[in-house]
Amino acid sequence: VGFGGLTVDAVAARAAVGKATIYRRWASKTELVYAAMEATHEEWEPPDTGSLHADLVAVYRHLVEHVVESKNGKVIPAMVAEAETNAELAALMHRFVDDRRDKTRAVFERARARGEISRQFDVELAIDMVTAPVFYRRLLSGAPLRTDHAEQIVGLLLDGVGAKSVRRNIRAV
């Protein structure tokens, strides 16, 4: 029914409890939804293969599988849409997402410790670049999400697209 169609009354009825029982545990529908997302989220630790490339391929594949197959993945579009106008939900979603980003941050920090990336490497931007294709396809383009894109996505991130930058010298006349 989406976030807007969800009611505490309906949740209470389905759980066969009174509405007050729900509100004793969660102060709002938003907190209830967040708790449900946390409760249904599967814990996952990225592997430590000793290679940033291999670790990121595993991260990407896991994210695609999660977004395509999990209960949380199926409600992402509704939650993102609602978060645009619901500040409380937006704050909780940012916390939820940041907690998940910690796993990928750890992958980059291990790579940094091994000397695979420099101290100046922008880890936050790199996390965005690994995850953005998944969410772009899920939320905007509707293109299929496939785990076999992992090698190409990670390769593009780590190696660049191979294009040479063209710089123009502009002189003041």
Side-chain angles (χ1 to χ4, degrees):
V1 298
F3 186 88
L6 179 70
T7 66
V8 174
D9 286 329
V11 171
R14 185 151 180 196
V17 298
K19 196 164 126 176
T21 301
I22 303 293
Y23 280 117
R24 268 196 296 277
R25 235 172 139 179
W26 300 283
S28 67
K29 176 172 81 167
T30 302
E31 287 183 18
L32 173 64
V33 168
Y34 181 80
M37 287 176 63
E38 284 288 350
T40 59
H41 179 73
E42 296 176 22
E43 280 302 314
W44 180 78
E45 289 297 324
D48 184 357
T49 66
S51 158
L52 177 59
H53 186 274
D55 291 354
L56 288 178
V57 165
V59 166
Y60 183 87
R61 286 182 176 151
H62 174 76
L63 181 59
V64 168
E65 289 168 358
H66 176 75
V67 167
V68 169
E69 298 171 10
S70 76
K71 290 177 183 176
N72 283 351
K74 292 183 185 346
V75 301
I76 287 171
M79 300 299 283
V80 168
E82 180 65 25
E84 283 296 309
T85 58
N86 181 328
E88 180 187 15
L89 181 60
L92 290 174
M93 289 231 0
H94 291 189
R95 187 173 85 197
F96 185 83
V97 168
D98 198 50
D99 288 347
R100 275 61 199 171
R101 287 173 66 96
D102 281 345
K103 307 246 183 207
T104 308
R105 231 177 251 115
V107 167
F108 283 105
E109 291 308 321
R110 288 193 311 249
R112 183 172 277 145
R114 289 190 300 263
E116 286 184 88
I117 57 175
S118 73
R119 290 264 168 235
Q120 294 75 31
F121 186 85
D122 189 338
V123 170
E124 295 306 311
L125 182 58
I127 294 170
D128 291 345
M129 293 173 73
V130 170
T131 58
V134 175
F135 292 105
Y136 177 81
R137 285 177 173 239
R138 178 72 172 111
L139 298 170
L140 298 172
S141 78
L145 285 166
R146 298 177 14 203
T147 57
D148 63 341
H149 287 153
E151 290 284 344
Q152 185 177 10
I153 296 291
V154 171
L156 286 171
L157 168 63
L158 297 179
D159 300 333
V161 295
K164 293 184 180 176
S165 174
V166 177
R167 294 183 185 204
R168 295 183 184 157
N169 291 324
I170 302 173
R171 298 178 199 205
V173 179

